[in-house]
Amino acid sequence: MKTKNARYAVALSLFLCLFLPALLPVLPRAEAHNSREWQKRLDARTATLWIEGQDIGGVILNARAELNVTWADRGLLRHLESDRDVDEWLTEGLNYYFSNRKETRAKLKKRDAFVLRYRAVKYWDFDPTKLVIGGYAVTKDDILTKKEYWESGELPPGVTGFLTVCAPSLKPGQTVELSYGDTRATLAVP
């Protein structure tokens, strides 16, 4: 009886080792989602830039990429304490306010975190230093996310990701212009 169970365990292990990697891309994944309250907060704090896209009555044509810039202000931290039903990219962006690294804390003094979520539609040369937030051009020193956790350079279609940068703090009620190259959008700060 013991040898039969041992053979079964070996056969199952062998099956999983050989076939599970091939099945991973087709297995359904649990995806995070935002609660309704979080979605309202994020929509009010997000501006979408369609890189090289043409807006024809609300339909975007020929866009090279989609870049969503979300203002992750410190005020969202109190909401996170009571409602954790939010996407990972936001919690990671807010975590920089509590960083153990002195350099990160120094960068965020009198500044806010902005999460950049990107999706390449066509081949796109992504460079976060091309982003301008309210007249402030983002520099390499403003990028909080370590380089190994996001992609830059020539991105093929379908590549998605996010990274966090910092820029001067925004004031409630302020309207801020965001630009990436020739693409522009406005964000009315709640």
Side-chain angles (χ1 to χ4, degrees):
M1 187 71 161
K2 289 183 181 180
T3 60
K4 192 175 189 180
N5 287 340
R7 285 184 199 157
Y8 177 72
V10 168
L12 181 62
S13 298
L14 185 61
F15 173 79
L16 290 175
C17 289
L18 293 175
F19 295 107
L20 189 59
L23 292 175
L24 284 178
V26 295
L27 292 175
R29 295 182 180 171
E31 293 195 20
H33 69 285
N34 301 320
S35 68
R36 205 172 284 171
E37 293 78 22
W38 269 114
Q39 196 58 52
K40 286 180 195 173
R41 285 183 203 109
L42 295 177
D43 288 346
R45 290 167 169 79
T46 302
T48 301
L49 297 156
W50 289 97
I51 311 305
E52 297 181 23
Q54 299 151 344
D55 187 355
I56 313 258
V59 176
I60 308 297
L61 298 175
N62 301 321
R64 188 154 298 285
E66 175 184 6
L67 179 63
N68 292 297
V69 180
T70 302
W71 174 48
D73 62 293
R74 286 176 177 82
L76 292 176
L77 293 168
R78 73 176 188 281
H79 296 294
L80 188 61
E81 291 173 2
S82 62
D83 182 2
R84 294 203 173 266
D85 194 10
V86 68
D87 287 325
E88 174 188 1
W89 59 264
L90 181 65
T91 56
E92 285 194 25
L94 291 173
N95 281 336
Y96 287 104
Y97 290 116
F98 298 107
S99 177
N100 292 331
R101 297 173 55 206
K102 288 181 183 178
E103 316 83 61
T104 302
R105 286 195 313 266
K107 286 180 184 181
L108 283 167
K109 195 170 232 174
K110 296 184 181 181
R111 303 175 88 194
D112 290 329
F114 293 83
V115 181
L116 313 180
R117 291 175 293 133
Y118 55 89
R119 178 177 64 94
V121 178
K122 299 176 182 177
Y123 282 96
W124 177 41
D125 186 22
F126 177 51
D127 179 3
T129 62
K130 290 182 181 179
L131 179 66
V132 177
I133 301 172
Y136 178 80
V138 173
T139 66
K140 286 185 179 187
D141 289 336
D142 296 326
I143 300 172
L144 300 172
T145 306
K146 290 183 180 182
K147 177 65 180 127
E148 53 267 15
Y149 296 117
W150 57 278
E151 297 184 48
S152 66
E154 186 76 24
L155 302 181
V159 171
T160 62
F162 64 91
L163 71 138
T164 305
V165 300
C166 59
S169 294
L170 303 180
K171 295 174 179 68
Q174 176 183 12
T175 300
V176 178
E177 182 176 86
L178 299 130
S179 64
Y180 185 96
D182 294 334
T183 307
R184 302 198 180 310
T186 58
L187 174 65
V189 179

